[in-house]
């Protein structure tokens, strides 16, 4: 019912527009190819008809559902008896018998397989209907030609009329099943949606050519009028998907058993496939595009273009392009395909379409800019287009949209008012009436975003549009006036306007319905704002403004992190905050919009938002966000100067968070100085060490970030020294004309590198390990790299520490470094959690045969720690070592298992 749909929409708004990436939702695949008639009848009974009996809210169809259950049970018994007798007879009851003469014995039914397959509760519910004697009086409906569809009919009326017509046209064994459902589908549309594809398949397979032509005419009548009735069109699209699914499933079935396929089955398959193929794909694509189903539009239009390329369309001839290739797409077709891709937000797809164009018009170039979210260039293009035709409705609307996306609300308002004034001077014709209404809508959007409520009220009084944006503006005006009745009425009317779009989109996928769900969240946020502010005004509720700010900020975090999703939410929140004097919340919202725009590389929008955020008292994080924006724009020196020397009023701005903010800014300064090479390595290391001391009492994720950054910097520094050492050794070998190995062992460069190695390597390992001890955000970078360095240099230092070490370098440095590494890793074996070690199980198990005995001992201790805490996840790796064909590896595995046998909790598992 409509009330239920309104309540469902309200609930979706309260839940919020959860990011689709966070939800693991699979598309609804309700249609199944069912060949067995008994199975089909029982599916209708158990999944649909019994719900009517259980649900007291559907009392109007309870008796009709009971009659359908009674008749379907009798059909199932007759079909089962016919199958048991080898298929003799039709397997359907005689319609001339009285229902009281055809009651079924429970003992007879209990022997049937389909009855035994039901659960006990379902059998208990169905047993009474074996003895009932319901009957219905069927009045044949008169049809007013074909198609049944009328634009003025609601979706429920059209669907009921078409289904009843199809039931009367059905033939074959399933006609008896469909006939008993006639009374139910009139009252319950979901039941009709379920049987619609089966009805269409039956009529296509067993009906006459006239019936198939009428089905196609019905489909195309709805498709051609899709823009007016999107819900009707979505039902047709879903029907086409289900028929396509049946065709593909039947094609695979025929391919698997070609010898046993009957001529009747092949003819039925051919009739359905031909009927489906006669639907023009270009018209389907344009209809899908008109209701916002862009992915579906792309699918249909691609099929259409492929048919052109393969020569299936006789009215199109291939022409040779100027580059010597066959051009099978006309410019109008490429342009439509580009529009589809622009709504899909697929810049890569647009780049591919560009190869199909022989020339690029300014309109096509503008679409490219819009898809890549380059609003500045798109705005420039629309300004050029409007120079030749200032009254072009679409170009004016798109230009105003670009200005809105750039945050140029004042310019947007002036442009809308200027064009409206020009239209009034030239006395608007019918063609400019639509443009006049669009301009009024954009003017109202700009007015409430600017907080000019008097202007918004004036424009709303003159506006007759019923769009969502206009409804939202009315709600805001009533919220400002604290008029409860007017506010609730405006909210209800605005939400009702979204129901047709929500009903059509939700049939397909959550992603398609997501823009509408975002709008429902906007209305829900407004309702919550009114509740809190009304309670503050009339009931003296304390902390209402703080609660409102926290709740709206939390709700926006669940949404998709894209500008086109969050811009209306942030704008609405700013409007609510601003009208009630919450200036800090307004500035914080502007800062959030600046951050989002910067990450999307909309630098001009981000700059404007930063200026808005700093108009009054700059909010927390203002200077850091300003520095990040300048750095990404290329003003790196200015950005570094801001974070290195924060303003004196930072302590006043940040309050209790001043230490954390200063530490964040200092970390940015160190990182940027390192990236731009503006400081020496020693200065950078010293800055990182200062940060580590500053973060000792701070949050662990900050400590992890600093430790990881320092370790990464030292690691790069060590690699640079290693590469420099290799290059110098090659030069020395060439200059001295000596053997390469002699140069390697006696090289001064090697000694210099060993000095650097002894100084830096322990710090690198300790930095990565300290990062792991503070958190796991960088675990997949820090842990593998730490283990790699440990294994690599322990192996190399083992070579350099042999008997001839006096020829190869400083034995003291090498031996001390090796001991330092072992002591360091021994400390971190216990401090790093077993769960973190588990993520590197494969790497640890692969190096069990390391030559250094101390490394093996530590590896064994790590593996034992992992197995003790996670035996089910790690024992397989240990047993693989034990069963290795390599003798050394097998011996290491035996030694490791011997240590594990000491643990009583593992002994039983190992045995």
């Amino acid at each position: 019912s409509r009330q239920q749909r309104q309540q469902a929409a309200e609930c979706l708004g309260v839940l919020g527009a959860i990011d689709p990436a966070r939800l693991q939702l699979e598309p609804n695949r309700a249609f199944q190819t069912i060949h067995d008639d008994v199975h089909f009848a029982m599916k209708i009974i158990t999944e649909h008809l019994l719900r009517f009996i259980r649900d007291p809210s559907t009392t109007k169809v309870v008796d009709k559902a009971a009659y359908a259950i009674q008749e379907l049970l009798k059909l199932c018994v007759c079909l089962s008896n016919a199958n048991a007798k080898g298929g003799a007879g039709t397997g359907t009851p005689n319609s001339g018998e009285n229902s009281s003469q055809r009651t079924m014995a429970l003992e007879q039914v209990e022997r049937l397989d389909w009855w035994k397959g039901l659960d006990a509760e379902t059998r208990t519910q169905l047993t009474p209907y074996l003895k009932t004697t319901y009957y219905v009086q069927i009045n044949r409906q008169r049809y007013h030609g074909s198609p049944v569809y009328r634009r003025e009919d609601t979706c429920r009326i059209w669907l009921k009329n078409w289904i009843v017509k199809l039931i009367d046209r059905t033939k074959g064994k399933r006609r008896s099943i469909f006939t008993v459902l006639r009374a139910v589908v009139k009252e319950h549309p979901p039941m009709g949606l379920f049987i619609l594809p089966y009805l269409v398949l039956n009529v296509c397979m067993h009906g006459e050519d006239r019936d198939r032509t009428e089905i196609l005419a019905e489909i195309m009548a709805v498709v051609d009028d899709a823009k007016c009735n999107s819900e009707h069109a979505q039902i047709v699209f879903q029907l086409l998907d289900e028929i396509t699914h049946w065709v593909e499933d039947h094609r695979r079935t025929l391919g698997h058993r070609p010898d046993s396929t009957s001529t009747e089955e092949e003819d039925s398959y051919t009739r359905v496939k031909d009927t489906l193929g006669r639907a023009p794909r270009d018209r389907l694509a344009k209809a899908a595009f008109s209701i916002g189903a862009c992915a579906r539009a792309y699918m249909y239009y691609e099929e259409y273009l492929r048919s052109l390329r393969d020569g299936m369309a006789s009215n199109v001839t291939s022409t040779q392009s100027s580059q010597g290739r066959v051009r099978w797409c006309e410019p109008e077709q490429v342009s439509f395909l580009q529009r589809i891709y622009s709504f899909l937000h697929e810049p890569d797809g647009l780049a591919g379409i560009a190869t199909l164009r022989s020339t690029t018009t300014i309109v096509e170039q503008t679409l490219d800019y819009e898809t890549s979210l380059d609003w500045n260039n798109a705005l420039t293009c629309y300004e050029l287009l409007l120079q030749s035709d200032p009254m072009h409705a679409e170009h004016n609307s798109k230009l105003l949209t670009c200005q809105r996306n750039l945050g140029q609300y004042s310019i947007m308002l002036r442009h809308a008012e200027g064009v409206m004034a020009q239209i009034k001077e030239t006395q608007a014709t019918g063609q400019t009436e639509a443009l006049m209404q669009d301009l009024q809508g954009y003017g109202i959007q700009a007015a409430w975003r600017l907080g000019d409520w008097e202007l918004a009220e004036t424009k709303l009084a003159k506006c007759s549009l019923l769009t969502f944006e206009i409804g939202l503006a009315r709600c805001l005006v009533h919220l400002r006036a604290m008029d409860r009745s007017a506010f609730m009425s405006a909210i209800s009317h605005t939400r009702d306007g979204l129901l047709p779009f929500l009903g059509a989109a939700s049939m397909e996928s959550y992603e398609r319905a997501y823009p509408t769900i975002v709008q429902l969240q906007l209305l829900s946020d407004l309702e919550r704002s009114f509740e809190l502010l009304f309670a503050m005004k009339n009931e003296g509720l304390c902390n209402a403004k703080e609660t409102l700010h926290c709740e709206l900020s939390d709700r926006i975090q669940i949404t998709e992190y894209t500008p086109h999703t969050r811009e209306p939410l942030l704008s609405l929140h700013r409007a609510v905050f601003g009208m009630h004097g919450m200036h800090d919340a307004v500035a914080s919202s502007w800062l959030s919009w600046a951050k989002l725009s910067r990450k999307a590389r909309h630098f001009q929008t981000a700059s404007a938002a930063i200026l808005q955020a700093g108009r009054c008292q700059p909010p927390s994080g203002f200077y850091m966000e300003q520095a990040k924006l300048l750095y990404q724009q290329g003003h790196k020196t200015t950005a570094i100067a801001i974070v290195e020397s924060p303003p004196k009023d930072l302590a006043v701005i940040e309050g209790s968070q001043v230490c954390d903010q200063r530490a964040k800014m200092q970390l940015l300064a160190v990182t940027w100085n390192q990236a731009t090479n503006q400081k020496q390595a020693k200065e950078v290391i010293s800055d990182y060490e200062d940060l580590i001391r500053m973060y000792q009492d701070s949050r662990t994720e900050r400590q992890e970030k600093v430790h990881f950054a320092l370790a990464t910097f030292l690691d790069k520094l060590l690699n640079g020294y290693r590469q420099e050492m290799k290059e110098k050794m090659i030069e020395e070998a060439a200059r001295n004309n000596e053997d390469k190995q002699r140069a390697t062992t006696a090289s001064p460069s090697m000694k210099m590198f060993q000095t650097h190695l002894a100084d830096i390597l322990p710090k690198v390992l300790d930095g990565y390990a300290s990062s792991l001890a503070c958190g796991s955000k960088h675990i997949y970078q820090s842990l593998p790299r730490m283990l790699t360095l440990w294994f690599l240099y322990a192996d190399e230092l083992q070579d350099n520490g042999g008997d001839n070490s006096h020829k190869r370098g400083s034995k003291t440095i090498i031996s001390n470094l090796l001991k330092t590494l072992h002591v360091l890793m021994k400390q971190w074996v216990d401090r790093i959690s077993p769960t973190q070690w588990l993520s590197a199980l494969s790497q640890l198990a692969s190096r069990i045969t390391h030559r250094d005995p101390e490394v093996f001992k530590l590896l064994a201790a790590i593996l034992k720690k992992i197995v003790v805490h996670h035996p089910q996840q790690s024992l397989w790796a240990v047993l693989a070592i034990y069963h290795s064909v390599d003798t050394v590896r097998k011996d290491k595995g035996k030694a490791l298992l011997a240590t594990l046998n000491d643990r009583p909790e593992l002994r039983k598992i190992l045995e």
Side-chain angles (χ1 to χ4, degrees), residues 262-321:
S262 64
T263 305
E264 183 180 356
E265 286 180 319
E266 291 183 352
D267 291 343
S268 299
Y269 167 75
T270 302
R271 283 192 287 268
V272 175
K273 183 180 178 182
D274 290 345
T275 305
L276 181 66
R278 286 163 57 192
R281 291 303 186 261
D282 56 336
R283 289 164 64 185
L284 293 176
K286 291 176 182 177
F289 183 74
S290 68
I291 65 172
C294 298
R296 183 181 294 277
Y298 169 70
M299 177 186 70
Y300 287 138
Y301 210 66
E302 186 182 31
E303 290 181 13
Y304 171 67
L305 293 179
R306 287 181 185 276
S307 68
L308 294 182
R309 186 188 63 180
D310 298 337
M312 297 178 65
S314 58
N315 59 336
V316 177
T317 59
S318 298
T319 57
Q320 195 73 17
S321 70

Side-chain angles (χ1 to χ4, degrees), residues 619-630:
S620 173
F622 171 79
Y623 292 108
M624 189 160 61
E625 183 59 37
Q626 184 185 39
K628 288 181 179 180
L629 177 60
L630 290 170

Side-chain angles (χ1 to χ4, degrees), residues 467 573 730 822 888:
T467 63
H573 295 173
I730 293 173
H822 294 329
V888 178

